């Protein structure tokens, strides 16, 4: 018997916890905490503790699959790749689209991006950040000149006041939540604003149970109180920001007085005043937010309002302060950093930037050039075009994406996939999306390959191969490299080891240019920006200046807009969605972990006892949930923790997929889906008699 342990990074949320995989005779049999990580400090949440259980699940894909009619049959790699290469080569660049994944490593995503732009010559490349934090990318870029979390995770424990808004941190990012508990034990005030009395709210000093979709209303009201009481930081505003007066004019309007705003938010005016006082008087205040803020049609406004509040109080650029956007999946930040976006090259250089375009063209050395310097379609626009009678996208290559579950409006996604001439899906399991593919390629999971990923605080860390992948499955970068060679570009994808990809990637990302393989191989990795070899990294952004050319942050006046789908007499409840501590996103991995699935294995709807009594619904009753586009049936969970008139559905279950409820925004920048506020009706389910 041989036994070893391999240190790697958790594959689930964006916290980026380090853990040891316990390997016995070539098989991962368990996990153990890694004690040298500054992120999780030797602790793991439930998902990290049991992440080994899906690795050797019998459902893992082991050989390439080709479709013949309605049947898939196994084939060898040469046959599969030759077929794909021939098919992809038959389309024009504008007819091709590629989706990468926030679950893949930086190196996988970088190569997929290079493959799309250099081999396929297509501009149409995107990934699932579109669904979770596109509002962060736009909102924080406008305010600060950069779209990333401002401070480090350990830094949160140094705060005097913490506001959790749109984030059930202790469930969604438990080891970030630990820093909240540490701060509170040192005397910090913790405020949670949420429609549900979550585990995060339990650990708070002040709980604001407000209506979903009233975030800007609440924030503007808080800012108005801070200004009226002269709690704002005048020196910071004058020296380091622009356009404060425009925001001041907005937030001091009568509609944002605590009495009026509180009534519209569904909270006491005194709670607003107390929140303003704690934030305004704190020496070091930080805001933690997640998809409760960004998965709204007004997501950009929400993010800009958060930035306004922190600039108003001078809580930027110091330990214990900052705007800390908690990303969703493990490598959302990294996938954005390496350029898996239709409008940005690696390092957030616009694709329309001629200098950046020429630099990549020269570095990559494709004899026939790369894609045109124009923006491509994002994932939402891709599927919008597929809805047309004559779609201009003919073929798609999906790497680690499962849009049938993760995207809003699954019926539209399925219809779009059916309209494709050709679809390739590359994944570790036969997902719901695979059934619409022409070719399915078996990929290695996080425990079966080397590379890096970048967590929510911009920390680049190693993932390390512990075991061989099952059957004939291969790592994503090996598959992409082999396919590029089949299509005549082997010279441009000639890598000996993943380290070679990492070094090329760093050379084109300014924020990564000072990183080396040895640097990120050490415990804790490196937080970007790290632009010079002698730099240790940058845990805190904007200590001296913002990223705008003049070095100043920008205030943006934001007026509150009502949610796009308000309750009425036919749909009287507000529905919101979110994650559970036991599962991650669509559940592809966590629902194959026995210990996690045993805890919660099906969807449900939370409803307040007052609402349940009025509707004559008891706990565990089957109920019918109707919305403007359809309906679903699930069990009721009658619970005091949710606000009267509000309901909640976890988003992990295809059987009760809450994405059916999402309305798409008409806002062009960016195209955001409304996951957090939807009008519904609820009634006891009656089986129809024939």
């Amino acid at each position: 018997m041989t036994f070893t342990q391999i240190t790697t990074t958790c594959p689930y949320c964006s916290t980026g916890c380090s853990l040891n995989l316990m390997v016995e005779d070539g098989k991962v049999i368990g996990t153990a905490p890694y004690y040298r990580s500054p992120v999780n400090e030797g602790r793991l949440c439930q998902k990290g503790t049991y992440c080994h259980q899906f690795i050797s699940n019998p459902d893992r894909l082991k050989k390439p699959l080709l479709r013949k009619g309605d049947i898939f049959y196994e084939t060898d790699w040469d046959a599969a790749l030759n077929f794909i290469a021939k098919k992809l080569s038959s389309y024009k660049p504008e007819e091709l689209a590629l989706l990468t994944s926030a679950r893949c490593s930086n190196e996988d995503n970088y190569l997929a991006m290079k493959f799309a732009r250099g081999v396929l010559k297509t501009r149409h490349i995107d990934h699932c950040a579109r669904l979770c934090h596109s509002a962060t990318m736009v909102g924080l870029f406008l305010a600060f000149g950069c779209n990333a979390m401002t401070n480090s995770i350990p830094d949160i424990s140094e705060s005097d006041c913490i506001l959790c808004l749109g984030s059930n941190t202790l469930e969604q990012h438990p080891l970030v939540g630990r820093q909240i508990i540490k701060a509170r034990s040192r005397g910090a005030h913790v405020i949670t604003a949420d429609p549900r009395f979550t585990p995060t709210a339990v650990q708070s000093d002040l709980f604001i149970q407000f209506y979903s979709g009233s975030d800007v209303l609440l924030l503007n009201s808080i800012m108005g109180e801070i200004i009226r009481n002269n709690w704002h930081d005048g020196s910071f505003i004058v020296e380091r920001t622009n356009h404060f007066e425009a925001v001041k004019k907005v937030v001091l309007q009568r509609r944002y007085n605590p009495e009026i705003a509180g009534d519209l938010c569904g909270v006491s005016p005194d709670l607003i005043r107390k929140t303003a006082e704690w934030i305004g008087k704190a020496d070091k205040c930080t805001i933690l937010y997640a998809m409760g803020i960004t998965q709204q049609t007004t997501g950009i406004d929400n993010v800009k309002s958060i930035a306004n509040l922190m600039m108003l109080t001078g809580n930027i650029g110091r330990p214990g302060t900052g705007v800390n956007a908690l990303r969703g999946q493990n490598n959302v930040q990294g996938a954005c950093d390496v350029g898996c976006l239709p409008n940005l090259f690696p390092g957030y250089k616009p694709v329309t930037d001629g200098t950046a375009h020429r630099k990549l063209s020269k570095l990559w050395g494709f004899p026939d050039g790369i894609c045109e310097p124009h923006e491509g379609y994002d994932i939402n626009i891709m599927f919008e075009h597929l809805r047309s009678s004559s779609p201009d996208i003919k073929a798609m290559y999906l790497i680690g994406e499962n849009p049938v579950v993760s995207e809003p409006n699954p019926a539209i996604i399925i219809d779009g996939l059916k309209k494709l001439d050709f679809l390739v899906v590359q994944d570790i399991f036969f997902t719901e999306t695979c059934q619409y593919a022409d070719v399915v390629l078996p990929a290695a999971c996080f425990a079966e390959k080397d590379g890096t990923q970048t967590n929510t605080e911009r920390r680049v860390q190693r993932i390390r191969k512990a075991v061989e992948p099952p059957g004939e499955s291969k790592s994503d970068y090996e598959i992409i490299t082999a396919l590029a060679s089949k299509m005549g570009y082997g010279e441009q994808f000639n890598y000996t080891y993943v380290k070679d990809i990492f070094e090329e990637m760093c050379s084109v990302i300014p924020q990564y240019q000072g990183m080396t393989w040895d640097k990120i191989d050490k415990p804790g990795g490196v937080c970007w920006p790290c632009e010079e070899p002698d730099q240790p990294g940058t845990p805190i952004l904007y200590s001296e200046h913002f990223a705008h050319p003049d070095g100043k942050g920008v205030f943006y006046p934001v007026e509150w807009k009502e949610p796009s789908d308000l309750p009425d007499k036919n749909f009287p409840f507000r529905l919101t969605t979110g994650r559970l501590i036991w599962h991650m996103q669509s559940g592809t991995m966590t629902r194959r972990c026995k210990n996690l699935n045993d805890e919660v294995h099906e969807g449900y709807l939370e409803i307040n006892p007052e609402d349940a009594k009025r509707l004559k619904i008891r706990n565990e009753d089957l109920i019918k949930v109707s919305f403007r586009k359809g309906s679903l049936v699930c069990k009721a969970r009658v619970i005091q923790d949710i606000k009267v008139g509000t309901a909640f559905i976890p988003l992990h279950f295809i059987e009760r997929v809450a994405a059916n409820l999402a309305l798409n925004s008409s806002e062009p920048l960016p195209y955001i889906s409304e996951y957090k506020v939807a009008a519904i009706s609820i009634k006891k389910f009656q089986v129809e008699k024939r």
Side-chain angles (χ1 to χ4, degrees):
M1 182 182 77
T2 60
F3 179 85
T4 188
Q5 57 183 13
I6 303 296
T7 302
T8 191
T9 308
C10 182
Y12 290 128
C13 83
S14 65
T15 306
C17 297
S18 294
L19 54 86
N20 289 322
L21 293 176
M22 318 306 286
V23 182
E24 182 179 280
D25 293 336
K27 182 179 179 180
V28 179
I29 61 170
T31 63
Y34 179 67
Y35 287 89
R36 298 179 67 189
S37 168
V39 176
N40 55 303
E41 301 172 308
R43 275 81 173 175
L44 290 175
C45 76
Q46 291 88 329
K47 291 188 289 292
T49 298
Y50 298 110
C51 71
H52 64 282
Q53 292 184 343
F54 77 83
I55 295 170
S56 57
N57 187 284
D59 291 345
R60 286 289 302 276
L61 290 167
K62 298 177 180 67
K63 294 194 72 172
L65 304 175
L66 291 180
R67 175 188 290 278
K68 188 174 184 180
D70 293 330
I71 304 298
F72 285 93
Y73 65 92
E74 293 182 347
T75 187
D76 58 63
W77 277 104
D78 264 351
L81 294 178
N82 283 332
F83 179 57
I84 295 169
K86 182 178 179 181
K87 290 291 292 185
L88 293 181
S89 298
S90 68
Y91 298 101
K92 299 175 183 176
E94 61 268 23
E95 296 175 334
L96 295 163
L98 188 146
L99 295 181
T100 64
S101 175
R103 290 191 288 123
C104 293
S105 71
N106 288 326
E107 293 72 23
D108 293 334
N109 280 316
Y110 174 79
L111 280 201
M113 180 275 305
K114 180 177 177 178
F115 180 88
R117 292 186 162 123
V119 176
L120 302 181
K121 318 295 184 195
T122 183
R123 300 170 289 118
H124 309 319
I125 176 173
D126 203 7
H127 75 288
C128 63
R130 189 70 46 197
L131 303 176
C132 53
H133 274 281
S134 56
T136 290
M137 294 187 66
V138 176
L140 291 189
F141 180 81
L142 291 172
F144 301 153
C146 176
N147 51 31
M149 179 169 163
T150 64
N151 289 54
S152 71
I153 290 171
D155 190 59
I156 294 166
S157 67
E158 298 186 35
S159 296
D160 299 322
C161 181
I162 299 172
L163 173 60
C164 295
L165 181 64
S167 170
N168 177 13
T169 315
L170 269 78
E171 275 201 277
Q172 296 168 342
H173 302 87
L175 273 299
V176 177
R178 183 171 178 270
Q179 302 297 332
I180 297 174
I181 304 302
K182 289 170 69 175
R184 192 178 184 219
S185 71
R186 294 169 181 165
H189 288 132
V190 178
I191 308 163
T192 295
D194 200 295
R196 302 167 64 226
F197 189 63
T198 63
T200 308
V202 172
Q203 297 295 331
S204 299
D205 302 289
L206 200 65
F207 175 49
I208 304 172
Q209 193 167 33
F210 72 129
Y211 290 127
S212 294
S214 58
D215 306 86
V216 168
L217 185 63
L218 177 65
L219 290 164
N220 279 358
S221 183
I222 292 169
M223 283 188 276
E225 275 296 288
I226 289 172
I227 293 171
R228 278 188 287 269
N229 286 281
N230 201 32
W231 292 327
H232 54 297
D233 190 332
S235 297
F236 184 92
I237 292 168
V238 170
E239 295 169 9
R240 298 199 53 190
T241 69
N242 290 319
H243 307 313
F244 164 66
E245 291 298 326
V247 168
K248 179 180 177 180
K249 183 178 179 181
V250 167
V251 302
L252 290 180
Q253 293 178 91
R254 183 173 177 273
R255 71 183 302 214
Y256 298 120
N257 286 346
E259 285 76 16
I260 297 174
D263 183 58
L264 293 170
C265 290
V267 302
S268 163
D270 290 338
L271 285 178
I272 295 176
R273 292 192 181 95
K274 178 59 72 174
T275 300
E277 181 181 357
W278 282 2
I279 293 174
K281 289 185 174 181
D283 178 51
K284 296 176 291 185
C285 178
T286 187
I287 289 185
L288 308 181
Y289 77 86
M291 291 184 287
I293 284 292
T294 58
Q295 287 186 329
Q296 298 184 38
T297 53
T298 57
I300 296 172
D301 284 349
N302 295 344
V303 173
K304 287 192 290 190
S305 293
I306 288 171
N308 287 343
L309 176 57
M310 290 293 95
M311 287 190 291
L312 175 70
T313 53
N315 281 298
I316 295 289
R318 297 180 288 120
T321 67
V323 174
N324 292 312
L326 303 178
R327 305 284 187 161
Q329 296 191 68
N330 58 305
N331 202 30
V332 168
Q333 185 67 58
C336 295
D337 294 347
V338 304
C340 293
L341 298 163
N343 61 326
L344 296 170
F345 282 140
Y348 303 99
K349 297 292 185 182
V351 295
T352 54
D353 183 327
T355 302
H357 189 274
R358 288 189 295 273
K359 180 179 177 180
L360 280 182
S361 297
K362 182 178 179 181
L363 173 71
W364 288 345
F366 287 95
D368 47 357
I370 65 172
C371 64
E372 297 178 349
H374 304 297
E375 293 186 8
Y377 297 160
D378 67 37
I379 189 171
N380 294 301
I381 296 176
M382 289 177 194
F383 282 100
E384 279 293 324
H385 279 251
L386 284 170
R387 293 176 66 186
S388 67
S389 56
S390 56
D392 52 355
I393 291 180
K394 307 293 185 183
M396 294 184 79
Y397 184 2
L398 309 187
I399 301 174
E401 283 289 281
N402 188 14
V404 169
V405 177
S406 61
E407 288 290 318
N409 308 312
I412 292 174
I413 300 300
I414 292 170
D415 182 58
L417 293 175
K418 287 180 177 178
K419 285 184 177 180
L420 286 169
D421 288 346
F422 187 59
L423 174 63
V424 180
V425 177
Q426 187 169 302
D427 217 313
I428 63 176
F429 292 107
F430 193 90
T431 66
E432 292 79 6
T433 302
C434 289
Q435 60 188 305
Y436 304 100
D438 296 283
V439 186
V440 177
L441 300 178
C445 76
F446 82 109
E448 299 153 357
K449 60 186 177 183
D450 289 307
T452 66
Q453 63 185 42
T454 308
N455 76 346
T456 190
E457 59 178 344
R458 301 167 280 107
R459 189 183 298 271
V460 181
Q461 300 182 102
R462 280 291 312 276
I463 55 173
R464 296 176 178 87
K465 184 174 181 178
V467 292
E468 293 298 324
E472 297 178 16
S473 56
K474 299 177 182 291
S475 65
D476 292 297
Y477 71 82
E478 288 177 313
I479 298 171
I480 296 166
T481 298
L483 181 57
S485 183
K486 293 283 187 184
M487 297 182 72
Y489 297 97
E491 184 178 341
Q492 287 73 33
F493 287 78
N494 184 23
Y495 303 101
T496 304
Y497 178 53
V498 67
K499 177 183 176 183
D500 302 328
I501 307 170
F502 172 81
E503 290 175 347
E504 179 180 310
M505 177 183 78
C506 290
S507 73
V508 299
I509 303 176
Q511 299 89 334
Y512 285 39
Q513 282 182 349
M515 295 186 194
T516 65
W517 194 251
D518 289 339
K519 266 189 181 182
I520 54 98
D521 199 35
K522 295 175 182 177
V526 179
C527 291
W528 67 255
C530 177
E531 299 178 349
E532 300 294 337
D534 59 348
Q535 286 183 346
T538 312
I540 301 175
L541 298 179
Y542 318 129
S543 296
E544 298 178 359
H545 51 77
F546 289 93
H548 287 302
D550 65 356
K552 291 191 174 185
V554 181
F555 279 97
Y556 280 88
V558 177
E559 293 279 12
W560 175 61
K561 302 170 188 173
E562 290 187 330
S564 57
D565 190 20
L566 283 173
D568 55 28
K569 64 178 182 179
N570 295 319
F571 301 94
F573 289 90
R574 294 174 186 246
L575 177 86
T576 190
T577 66
R579 294 206 309 245
L580 305 177
I581 195 169
W582 308 104
H583 291 292
M584 188 70 196
Q585 303 307 91
S586 63
T588 300
M589 296 184 292
T590 54
R591 295 185 69 189
R592 288 179 168 90
C593 297
K594 182 181 185 304
N595 289 69
L596 301 177
N597 206 49
D598 283 351
E599 294 291 338
V600 180
H601 61 273
E602 64 178 351
Y604 56 84
L605 179 136
E606 288 183 2
I607 184 173
N608 186 277
E610 290 185 31
D611 294 322
K613 183 179 180 180
R614 181 167 48 82
L615 297 172
K616 298 180 180 180
I617 291 171
R618 295 179 297 179
N619 194 49
E620 295 291 305
D621 277 352
L622 275 181
I623 57 173
K624 184 176 182 179
V625 183
S626 299
F627 45 100
R628 301 193 195 278
K629 298 180 298 179
S631 63
L632 57 83
V633 176
C634 64
K635 288 182 179 179
R637 181 172 289 190
V638 181
I639 186 167
Q640 190 70 47
D641 294 345
I642 193 157
K643 191 173 181 67
V644 173
T646 299
F648 168 83
I649 292 179
L651 54 75
H652 312 291
F653 305 93
I654 182 64
E655 304 92 329
R656 307 284 179 255
V657 63
N660 278 300
L661 307 173
L663 295 180
N664 289 329
S665 167
S666 59
E667 292 187 17
L669 190 80
Y671 192 109
I672 299 173
S673 295
E674 182 70 86
Y675 284 88
K676 300 305 179 186
V677 191
I680 61 168
S681 66
I682 305 167
K683 66 179 182 179
K684 198 167 183 176
F685 179 67
Q686 302 291 336
V687 179
E688 295 183 5
K689 295 181 179 180
R690 294 185 177 181

